[in-house]
Amino acid sequence: MKKTKSRVLKIFIGIILAVFLSFTAAFLYFYIPSLSVRLDETRLTDDIINVALYDNQNIKLKNSDIFASGEYIQNEEIPEFVKDCFVYIEDKRFYEHDGIDRYRMAGAIVENIKAMRFKEGASTITQQLIKNTHLSNEKNFTRKLSEIRLAQELETKYSKDKILEMYLNSVYFGNNVYGITKAAKYYFDKTVQDLTLEEGAVLAGMINAPSVYCPNKNPEKCLARRNIVLKALLDNEKITPEVFDVAVAQELDTSKIGLKSLDEKSYADMVMTEASEILGLNYLQLKHADVKIYTYLNKDKQNALVKSLQSVDAKTLSGNDAQKMAISLDNQTGGVEAFYASMASNPFYITRQVGSVAKPLVALAPSFEQHLITPATMILDEQTDFGGYAPSNVGEKYDGWLTVRNAIAKSKNVPAVKLLNALNRDKVKTNLTDIGFLTDDDNVNLNMALGVFDSGLTIKQLAQGYMTLANDGIFQNAEFIRKIEDSQGRVLYKRENETKKVFAEDTAYLTTDVLKDVVSFGTAKSFDVDIPLAGKTGTVGKKNCPNNSDALFCSYTPKETTVFWVFSDYDDLLSEEITGSSAPVNLANSYYADIYKNNNAVDFSMPKTVTKLKIDKITLENSGKILIANNYIPKSETTEEIFSVFNMPTKVTKRNIPQQKQEIKEENSQEFFKNFFDTLIKRQYLGA
């Protein structure tokens, strides 16, 4: 009996010992790696910036030219009620614990065991500060142990007020906004000192899940969360019931969100955003990372772009400054050479309707690609109903029969929709998917010819689309960063410039040539810089209203592609005189005049698959037939036009040819085209 008890006791002790050893081994397995993370006090404030940015000439940019100053706010400058909002919703025992709230941690452990995964973290404000400045967002025990250890170390070195100050200067508020100074400006266009109680509660309520509680994206959820924060203040006797009742009755004001740029350093801000995604660091961590970021920044073009957008005045209907953004890409590399945005929101996430700038990519280029048309093809501009969809021209003005070239130059809506309606839409979808306008789940709709997309388009998408035309039909992504190195020169990232053939070379050139006429005599004729430029204006209007919401000009030379975009905020509209033909073209005038002041422009090169022919203008106008001019027609009755060699006229007009010479002329014409194509094939495909 005693032996049995002894054996059971030994087994029990063995089990306890095994569990203890397993727990110890598991703890050490996660704890030892956590020791590699050390407390770096320089990361806790903005005093030291380690990251270095370089332009396209590998010249280092000054930090004063990159990062805005005056963002860090001292504890005594933050209203007490604002601090209370954060403390009592995030960590109500903040002033009592040593960096770790063991009560909350015990509850979190129970929840994690129930969920059988790392679900709850029970992070204190001190822990969140450590995570924001030192660690990734990855949920694992090693990171959690690092967080706990560093939080307790931090508490021994700084006062609670200083920790709260550093926390409020580093916390993330969504929309690439870090720190309460930027948050107050971004969401309310105020300083922190001017925040109201309910505004402070909105900001405190957001940080748990910024995308969920963003005021302008989910106002109802934001309002409910704000009121939870206010209730926490009431329950902890930080506000009176009377103050609570007044605060919760306040409506949510979203009218000033993202209204103004947080600073004028748009290019650097976008570089940091792109680098954060590449390296998996947040903005604050990246600022303190000892890395070198090599960009495509062209200082001359950046200065010219900023100057153009700041010098050209554009107002809204309410009298406010209109929003403006512009991007300029190097066609050869796809690198962003210049960028500016007046708003604080990430412009690459802003999607809006784009109007007529969609026509070249949605209707014109695909029509050339599918050999549906030539620039000289006649198309009837008249009111047309496409099975219930009846687009109209601006001002309800219809010009009858026009060449495709003239229809695009005058930005006629009905002809553009007619082109798209006649195309193979599966092929159009492939084109639009390849340039990033559509996803595999989207369908091609007729109103896309006029720039109507379900989710809208971004300025980056437009620039990439037009750069495809500038690059002979080859698509590539636009990027800010060429390379990232660590302090030892080891390459952490190098851009791979991947390309995709979207349109044939002749398609791209024909489209470009038509868009040069938009600038020469069409809707962008106010452009007055003497350089070869292709472009398209676009205006987004409001039904039964003379005012517009958006005005655009997408343009390109053989060297760069530049998009200018002017638009209004929220329910506001642009002043009545602003269209795609006015303010955006004025911006282009200023920009191109500056970067081409030494007159170093080059023209587009015509590919071998495009030819120029004289055609019979009278027959074209009278019957719509495209016939090659003969030697008997007066010069005044002919016109020159370019064609793809795969879709060109082959018949010579018989007008003015003496009867006895017509048969000979036809034979010579047939022989000419046989020889022409034989020569072309040899030259193009056999290298002859």
Side-chain angles (χ1 to χ4, degrees):
M1 187 71 175
K2 288 182 179 180
K3 288 182 178 180
T4 301
K5 288 182 178 181
S6 176
R7 190 181 300 112
V8 171
L9 182 60
K10 288 179 180 179
I11 292 172
F12 179 74
I13 292 173
I15 292 172
I16 295 297
L17 184 61
V19 171
F20 174 77
L21 291 174
S22 298
F23 177 80
T24 302
F27 178 78
L28 292 174
Y29 176 80
F30 291 107
Y31 182 73
I32 291 174
S34 77
L35 296 175
S36 63
V37 183
R38 303 299 178 91
L39 183 64
D40 183 354
E41 295 177 57
T42 64
R43 298 186 180 192
L44 300 173
T45 68
D46 275 354
D47 295 338
I48 297 177
I49 299 172
N50 292 325
V51 65
L53 272 60
Y54 296 80
D55 66 12
N56 63 347
Q57 300 298 313
N58 296 332
I59 298 173
K60 184 179 177 180
L61 306 178
K62 295 178 182 178
N63 283 344
S64 59
D65 294 334
I66 302 171
F67 301 104
S69 59
E71 294 173 4
Y72 194 92
I73 187 169
Q74 302 296 324
N75 177 68
E76 57 269 20
E77 298 176 90
I78 307 172
E80 287 298 321
F81 63 80
V82 172
K83 289 185 280 189
D84 287 342
C85 287
F86 286 87
V87 169
Y88 286 97
I89 194 63
E90 287 293 306
D91 185 7
K92 67 180 181 180
R93 282 183 286 272
F94 172 67
Y95 288 100
E96 301 167 13
H97 60 62
D98 62 350
I100 308 300
D101 189 337
R102 290 167 178 80
Y103 294 102
R104 289 178 65 195
M105 187 175 289
I109 291 172
V110 172
E111 290 299 317
N112 290 333
I113 292 173
K114 288 180 180 178
M116 296 300 290
R117 62 187 176 90
F118 199 79
K119 179 183 176 183
E120 298 287 341
S123 293
T124 63
I125 281 176
T126 313
Q127 287 175 265
Q128 290 181 50
L129 173 59
I130 289 295
K131 186 183 75 171
N132 291 342
T133 57
H134 285 69
L135 306 171
S136 69
N137 290 322
E138 192 178 10
K139 288 189 175 183
N140 58 52
F141 287 106
T142 297
R143 197 223 72 187
K144 197 67 182 177
L145 290 171
S146 298
E147 182 184 294
I148 291 171
R149 181 174 56 78
L150 295 180
Q152 291 183 306
E153 183 180 347
L154 187 66
E155 290 266 351
T156 65
K157 295 187 175 184
Y158 294 93
S159 68
K160 288 288 188 180
D161 285 344
K162 188 64 177 178
I163 290 172
L164 181 59
E165 171 194 300
M166 293 187 292
Y167 167 74
L168 291 175
N169 278 283
S170 66
V171 67
Y172 182 58
F173 290 90
N175 290 299
N176 204 35
V177 175
Y178 288 88
I180 194 167
T181 302
K182 277 193 171 185
K185 187 171 184 180
Y186 179 84
Y187 289 103
F188 303 109
D189 193 26
K190 288 185 175 183
T191 65
V192 176
Q193 295 91 329
D194 291 333
L195 289 173
T196 64
L197 172 62
E198 56 271 14
E199 289 168 346
V202 166
L203 296 180
M206 285 180 60
I207 60 176
N208 179 257
S211 62
V212 175
Y213 300 118
C214 184
N216 58 327
K217 293 180 181 177
N218 298 303
E220 292 181 1
K221 290 182 179 179
C222 177
L223 198 61
R225 179 71 176 169
R226 181 201 72 177
N227 293 343
I228 290 174
V229 175
L230 294 171
K231 184 65 164 57
L233 295 184
L234 177 65
D235 292 343
N236 287 276
E237 299 181 349
K238 289 295 175 180
I239 58 174
T240 64
E242 292 77 15
V243 171
F244 172 80
D245 290 340
V246 171
V248 296
Q250 297 298 314
E251 294 183 359
L252 194 63
D253 182 6
T254 60
S255 64
K256 296 180 179 179
I257 295 177
L259 189 63
K260 295 180 180 178
S261 176
L262 299 179
D263 53 62
E264 294 176 356
K265 308 173 195 321
S266 301
Y267 192 98
D269 195 45
M270 295 304 296
V271 170
M272 295 291 283
T273 299
E274 190 171 289
S276 294
E277 294 173 355
I278 291 170
L279 298 177
L281 302 174
N282 67 39
Y283 185 88
L284 290 176
Q285 292 168 346
L286 182 59
K287 283 178 73 172
H288 300 297
D290 201 1
V291 296
K292 301 175 182 178
I293 303 175
Y294 295 87
T295 75
Y296 291 98
L297 174 66
N298 182 311
K299 286 184 179 178
D300 290 338
K301 290 187 176 181
Q302 178 68 14
N303 291 336
L305 196 69
V306 173
K307 178 183 173 183
S308 71
L309 269 75
Q310 291 181 341
S311 63
V312 175
D313 193 35
K315 295 291 185 181
T316 66
L317 192 60
S318 62
N320 294 322
D321 289 334
Q323 298 285 16
K324 289 178 279 190
M325 56 183 172
I327 186 171
S328 191
L329 310 180
D330 175 46
N331 293 339
Q332 184 176 358
T333 64
V336 181
E337 293 187 299
F339 178 81
Y340 180 87
S342 65
M343 74 295 303
S345 301
N346 186 333
F348 282 11
Y349 297 153
I350 295 175
T351 58
R352 298 177 69 92
Q353 300 306 323
V354 298
S356 291
V357 295
K359 290 174 183 175
L361 291 159
V362 176
L364 183 62
S367 295
F368 287 140
E369 185 77 1
Q370 295 184 33
H371 297 162
L372 174 70
I373 59 168
T374 74
T377 299
M378 299 295 285
I379 190 166
L380 182 57
D381 178 30
E382 64 175 0
Q383 284 186 306
T384 307
D385 189 301
F386 300 89
Y389 174 55
S392 59
N393 289 339
V394 176
E396 298 289 345
K397 184 180 178 182
Y398 302 90
D399 290 351
W401 287 101
L402 293 168
T403 63
V404 165
R405 181 181 290 278
N406 287 337
I408 294 297
K410 294 181 178 181
S411 199
K412 294 295 183 177
N413 290 339
V414 174
V417 177
K418 279 188 173 182
L419 292 179
L420 181 56
N421 188 53
L423 290 169
N424 180 320
R425 293 198 199 177
D426 288 338
K427 292 181 179 180
V428 175
K429 180 178 178 179
T430 298
N431 297 148
L432 298 182
T433 302
D434 285 346
I435 63 174
F437 279 23
L438 298 180
T439 67
D440 291 337
D441 297 329
D442 294 325
N443 294 316
V444 176
N445 300 314
L446 290 181
N447 57 5
M448 288 180 181
L450 307 184
V452 180
F453 291 80
D454 289 343
S455 301
L457 296 174
T458 67
I459 190 170
K460 182 180 179 182
Q461 287 173 310
L462 281 177
Q464 289 172 166
Y466 274 81
M467 183 169 59
T468 303
L469 299 174
N471 283 339
D472 300 326
I474 298 173
F475 172 86
Q476 59 184 329
N477 279 312
E479 306 290 346
F480 285 84
I481 297 172
R482 294 181 284 137
K483 182 175 63 173
I484 301 177
E485 293 180 350
D486 65 14
S487 58
Q488 306 302 313
R490 290 185 291 263
V491 177
L492 305 177
Y493 165 81
K494 187 173 183 180
R495 184 189 175 203
E496 297 294 335
N497 194 12
E498 298 180 358
T499 61
K500 180 186 294 184
K501 188 72 173 175
V502 179
F503 298 116
E505 197 175 21
D506 50 291
T507 292
Y509 186 81
L510 291 175
T511 305
T512 295
D513 197 68
V514 170
L515 296 186
K516 286 174 71 176
D517 278 350
V518 172
V519 177
S520 298
F521 63 83
T523 56
K525 63 184 178 183
S526 61
F527 182 80
D528 60 6
V529 184
D530 187 20
I531 60 170
L533 186 76
K536 184 70 187 75
T537 60
T539 304
V540 180
K542 188 174 182 181
K543 196 171 184 179
N544 300 322
C545 179
N547 298 76
N548 305 305
S549 61
D550 295 73
L552 307 91
F553 182 43
C554 297
S555 62
Y556 58 98
T557 72
K559 289 183 178 180
E560 66 275 313
T561 297
T562 311
V563 175
F564 303 90
W565 201 330
V566 179
F567 61 97
S568 58
D569 274 308
Y570 307 105
D571 294 330
D572 205 353
L573 290 170
L574 297 172
S575 57
E576 193 167 338
E577 73 277 4
I578 296 180
T579 66
S581 300
S582 59
V585 178
N586 292 337
L587 294 172
N589 272 324
S590 173
Y591 176 65
Y592 284 111
D594 201 333
I595 66 173
Y596 284 104
K597 57 191 171 187
N598 296 323
N599 197 25
N600 54 347
V602 295
D603 203 351
F604 299 92
S605 298
M606 189 167 74
K608 295 177 182 178
T609 50
V610 173
T611 188
K612 184 180 290 186
L613 296 173
K614 279 188 178 181
I615 59 174
D616 181 350
K617 183 170 67 173
I618 303 301
T619 299
L620 178 67
E621 293 173 352
N622 290 337
S623 68
K625 292 181 180 179
I626 304 174
L627 299 175
I628 300 171
N630 60 50
N631 294 331
Y632 299 92
I633 296 180
K635 188 176 180 180
S636 61
E637 297 180 5
T638 68
T639 186
E640 279 194 333
E641 187 55 274
I642 60 170
F643 300 90
S644 164
V645 297
F646 306 109
N647 185 31
M648 58 188 288
T650 58
K651 292 183 179 180
V652 178
T653 182
K654 296 180 180 180
R655 235 174 25 90
N656 290 5
I657 300 179
Q659 186 63 38
Q660 64 271 25
K661 295 187 177 182
Q662 283 191 16
E663 293 182 7
I664 299 174
K665 199 74 179 178
E666 288 176 2
E667 291 178 6
N668 289 342
S669 174
Q670 293 171 5
E671 185 65 25
F672 167 79
F673 280 103
K674 181 180 183 301
N675 293 336
F676 177 84
F677 281 109
D678 286 346
T679 302
L680 175 71
I681 291 169
K682 287 178 182 178
R683 188 193 320 154
Q684 188 75 13
Y685 301 104
L686 302 180

